[in-house]
Amino acid sequence: MAAGGGGVAEPFSPAGVPCAFSPQSQAYFALASTDGHLRVWETANNRLHQEYVPSAHLSGTCTCLAWAPARLQAKEGPQRKKRKSEAIGTSNQVDLLALGTAVGSILLYSTVKGELHSKLISGGHDNKVNCIQWHQDNGCLYSCSDDKHIVEWNTQTCKVKCKWKGDNSSVSSLCISPDGKMLLSAGRTIKLWVLETKELYRHFTGHATPVSSLMFTTIRPPNESLPFDGITGLYFLSGAVHDRLLNVWQVRSENKEKNAVMSFTVTDEPVYIDLTLSENKEEPVKLAVVCRDGQVHLFEHILNGYCKKPLTSNCTIQIATPGKGKKSTPKPIPILAAGFCSDKMSLLLVYGSWFQPTIERVALNSKEPHMCLVRDISICWAPKVETAVTKVRTPMMNSEAKVLVPGIPGHHAAIKPAPPQTEEIESKRKLGENEVSIEERLGALDIDTKKEKDNLPQTNSFPVLLTQGLESNDFEMLNKVLQTKNLNLIKRTVLRMPLHAVIPLLQELTKRLQGHPNSAVLMVQWLKCVLTIHASYLSTLPDLVPQLGTLYQLMESRVKTFQKLSHLHGKLILLITQVTASEKTKGPTCPAQKAKLVYEEESSEEESDDEIADKDSDDNWDEDEEEKGSEKDEDVDEEEEEDAEEKGEENGEDRDVASEKELNGDSDLDPENESEEE
């Protein structure tokens, strides 16, 4: 009944790692951590039962796992005949555990022997395995992958029985019907297949994102009076990546109804789901959903027809550390998995870290809508210093060796040949001198850290930068992306960004809209693209209104003042045009002017004598023109007459003679008189 959220885990995330309880009374809990190790824990005493490290645990990390059904495990084992006592002993053992890897292979691990049972690889998948399902009767194994195919395996011969294309994109989840004759598969859309013929029987709408979990919720249809063909009338549940709604679907006799009949709403993306099957129409379905935020939501509902409004949880369970002292605050402890016990009245909770999880049984007799369990997990496992130091060995590697980095298949760091210092270190050990320092040990490894940093994958992709900036709240990275003015680049970035980053992006845009008007102009372009491209995703969010309330109020206040600003803008334009028009009409008029005085130079005998005086008089004439160029020509005549009078009084000459000489252009003035005139 337990279904792990395999295939959707992020590296080193607190929840979402592939894990599952054993089918027989949940005696064991298997967890495949992100370092490639498989650990099997005993749920009764919280003790590590087994640990298995695959040979390719770095490049082919485990992406999903599934326990073999209890009935099947009783049938398998050695081929020799057994006595009844031996058969009973074998049926109580938990045996095979199937592991799907990132490179497309499937490993069958035997927990009884504590070693690898077999490996399914030939003719299978070419890409990451997303989900594994055992058939409860015939011992077959079904797997789906990113290569768009579904494979049916024979676990006895380790060969492919059948392989068919399940979707146009990657197939992310599988589920077998209670009678074992039908198979549900899902990428984004959900399909129901007939296992015998591999034909498509029904088609459902599905989710906007890849489906991460599929589970049947009922064994019998609600209307028990009608004949039952094994599938018609049954309900099943689906959850998707970055989707906070769990949809419930019903297999109808007609193929018209493709939409969900009801939905359950949770606080975050579901990473682990467990439920109790409803065996009749009066028995409610109990549902335990572990979300990525580390909470568990419990639902209890009788499935009977269509329900329009999403159902909320009856109870929410959280775990936190005790706050030691007045200043310290309690910190939440993430819950990794939750499974119903056989009595259906208690719950097994797995919480803490994936390296050392804590397993606890909690009774569900409380009717409170919210439970917060206070637990102290500060005492965690840690290796002793002496043990860690003595087990360190300095590897001797040549230049052809490659070191794989966890999490990135095929990524390697450059290794230099071993330097001659290692001989000195070994001699120190043999002679029993002082302990070799950590610095010398790291020098012996001699990993070129600079090259390793250069070889790390770097990208200038805007969707990746935007997502990283929103998660890390990096102001410089967000500025680099959000300050772009290229509209096509903005559209491509919004189109390719992951859906879980849409709401944080809208919140960041809301903050920036309240800032400087110049940056707000760019933010409006981003906001327009987000709302138009991701409108369908935003409409599925149940709490969209409170999340975007600030943005709505901001836009409403801006729109209210827009009309007043438009009126003011129009009035200002009208005033400016009137002012410019009046200035043009009041401009100074320059009428056509005719010269009243014309000066013509004539030759004379006294020209050589009066050459200096002529130059000085010309200079005075130019200076008068520059100083009084803006005045009218009438003032020039008056000034000339006044000058003539002064000259006549000084030299004792007649006024008429002086005026005639001035009109004829002759000047008998001395340089001394000219200086006085100036």
Side-chain angles (χ1 to χ4, degrees), residues 199-213:
E199 293 179 353
L200 186 62
Y201 181 73
R202 288 286 184 271
H203 184 273
F204 300 91
T205 307
H207 296 257
T209 52
V211 176
S212 58
S213 54

Side-chain angles (χ1 to χ4, degrees), residues 541-560:
L541 300 178
D543 54 347
L544 181 64
V545 175
Q547 284 192 349
L548 300 185
T550 307
L551 178 62
Y552 179 76
Q553 293 173 2
L554 180 66
M555 294 172 65
E556 191 71 21
S557 61
R558 296 282 176 93
V559 169
K560 283 182 179 178

Side-chain angles (χ1 to χ4, degrees), residues 311-350:
L311 301 174
T312 56
S313 61
N314 298 337
C315 180
T316 302
I317 300 177
Q318 285 180 297
I319 301 178
T321 59
K324 295 179 180 179
K326 295 182 179 179
K327 294 184 179 180
S328 63
T329 56
K331 295 182 179 180
I333 302 172
I335 299 175
L336 304 177
F340 285 102
C341 299
S342 55
D343 59 355
K344 299 183 181 181
M345 295 303 296
S346 56
L347 198 67
L348 272 176
L349 293 180
V350 182

Side-chain angles (χ1 to χ4, degrees), residues 59 402-413 452 454-457:
S59 60
K402 294 181 179 180
V403 177
L404 294 175
V405 179
I408 308 174
H411 184 68
H412 64 276
E452 186 177 353
D454 295 337
N455 290 336
L456 287 175

Side-chain angles (χ1 to χ4, degrees), residues 435-616:
E435 185 86 22
V436 182
S437 66
I438 295 177
E439 183 179 359
E440 291 176 344
R441 292 183 186 278
L442 293 175
L445 290 174
D446 198 30
I447 298 176
D448 193 353
T449 53
K450 292 182 180 179
K451 288 187 177 179
E452 186 177 353
K453 287 182 180 178
D454 295 337
N455 290 336
L456 287 175
Q458 295 189 3
T459 178
N460 287 326
S461 174
F462 269 53
V464 176
L465 288 175
L466 181 60
T467 308
Q468 292 176 354
L470 291 171
E471 290 177 355
S472 61
N473 202 14
D474 191 334
F475 188 74
E476 293 182 0
M477 195 180 295
L478 286 173
N479 268 353
K480 182 179 179 182
V481 178
L482 296 177
Q483 293 299 326
T484 180
K485 298 180 181 179
N486 190 342
L487 189 58
N488 291 329
L489 182 59
I490 293 174
K491 288 181 179 178
R492 288 198 300 270
T493 304
V494 173
L495 193 62
R496 294 175 185 174
M497 66 181 292
L499 290 178
H500 66 87
V502 172
I503 292 295
L505 176 59
L506 286 176
Q507 293 172 351
E508 181 66 26
L509 293 176
T510 305
K511 291 179 186 176
R512 291 172 179 257
L513 278 172
Q514 299 172 3
H516 198 274
N518 290 338
S519 64
V521 174
L522 295 175
M523 298 308 110
V524 168
Q525 297 291 340
W526 282 92
L527 185 64
K528 181 180 177 182
C529 290
V530 171
L531 294 178
T532 52
I533 293 174
H534 294 292
S536 58
Y537 167 70
L538 292 172
S539 62
T540 62
L541 300 178
D543 54 347
L544 181 64
V545 175
Q547 284 192 349
L548 300 185
T550 307
L551 178 62
Y552 179 76
Q553 293 173 2
L554 180 66
M555 294 172 65
E556 191 71 21
S557 61
R558 296 282 176 93
V559 169
K560 283 182 179 178
T561 57
F562 178 72
Q563 189 175 5
K564 297 178 181 179
L565 288 173
S566 300
H567 288 313
L568 180 61
H569 183 251
K571 291 178 180 178
L572 288 175
I573 289 176
L574 187 61
L575 286 172
I576 290 170
T577 51
Q578 289 177 353
V579 168
T580 52
S582 62
E583 285 180 353
K584 287 181 181 178
T585 56
K586 291 180 180 179
T589 57
C590 297
Q593 298 178 357
K594 293 182 181 180
K596 294 186 178 181
L597 176 65
V598 178
Y599 172 74
E600 293 180 1
E601 186 177 358
E602 294 180 0
S603 60
S604 63
E605 296 176 354
E606 300 174 358
E607 186 175 357
S608 59
D609 298 331
D610 302 329
E611 188 176 357
I612 298 173
D614 291 338
K615 288 181 181 178
D616 293 338

Side-chain angles (χ1 to χ4, degrees), residues 8-250:
V8 297
E10 295 177 2
F12 302 103
S13 59
V17 291
C19 54
F21 289 98
S22 63
Q24 289 183 339
S25 69
Q26 298 175 323
Y28 298 98
F29 177 74
L31 188 146
S33 56
T34 49
D35 59 357
H37 292 222
L38 171 70
R39 296 180 178 89
V40 181
W41 302 84
E42 296 178 7
T43 57
N45 51 19
N46 202 21
R47 186 169 63 89
L48 181 63
H49 180 64
Q50 283 180 2
E51 183 173 5
Y52 170 66
V53 184
S55 58
H57 67 284
L58 292 179
S59 60
T61 54
C62 180
T63 55
C64 56
L65 57 85
W67 292 88
R71 284 176 286 178
L72 182 61
Q73 291 168 2
K75 295 178 184 178
E76 291 190 354
Q79 297 298 321
R80 68 181 181 86
K81 293 184 179 180
K82 297 184 178 182
R83 295 192 299 271
K84 288 184 179 179
S85 60
E86 288 181 345
I88 293 170
T90 308
S91 64
N92 292 329
Q93 291 175 345
V94 177
D95 193 5
L96 291 182
L97 183 64
L99 307 173
T101 63
V103 294
S105 59
I106 297 174
L107 310 177
L108 298 182
Y109 175 74
S110 174
T111 54
V112 173
K113 299 177 183 178
E115 61 184 17
L116 189 66
H117 180 272
S118 57
K119 190 174 183 179
L120 313 178
I121 188 171
S122 59
H125 296 292
D126 303 327
N127 210 326
K128 181 183 73 172
V129 180
N130 290 325
C131 185
I132 296 175
Q133 284 288 324
W134 290 86
H135 198 282
Q136 56 263 41
D137 297 325
N138 58 17
C140 289
L141 190 71
Y142 295 89
S143 61
C144 62
S145 170
D146 281 352
D147 61 6
K148 309 176 186 179
H149 286 82
I150 303 171
V151 178
E152 182 181 11
W153 299 89
N154 187 336
T155 55
Q156 299 294 331
T157 61
C158 299
K159 292 182 179 179
V160 176
K161 286 182 67 176
C162 185
K163 181 178 180 180
W164 73 98
K165 187 175 181 180
D167 208 328
N168 293 327
S169 58
S170 61
V171 185
S172 56
S173 188
L174 296 174
C175 182
I176 298 174
S177 63
D179 63 350
K181 296 179 181 179
M182 296 285 184
L183 176 71
L184 278 172
S185 73
R188 284 183 172 83
T189 59
I190 303 173
K191 296 179 180 180
L192 184 62
W193 304 87
V194 180
L195 281 179
E196 187 177 353
T197 61
K198 309 298 185 294
E199 293 179 353
L200 186 62
Y201 181 73
R202 288 286 184 271
H203 184 273
F204 300 91
T205 307
H207 296 257
T209 52
V211 176
S212 58
S213 54
L214 280 173
M215 303 179 75
F216 274 94
T217 57
T218 54
I219 297 176
R220 302 287 301 175
N223 192 354
E224 297 180 354
S225 60
L226 297 176
F228 181 49
D229 60 356
I231 191 67
T232 304
L234 295 187
Y235 291 91
F236 66 90
L237 181 79
S238 68
V241 179
H242 307 308
D243 194 346
R244 291 179 291 178
L245 285 179
L246 294 168
N247 289 339
V248 180
W249 316 78
Q250 187 177 21

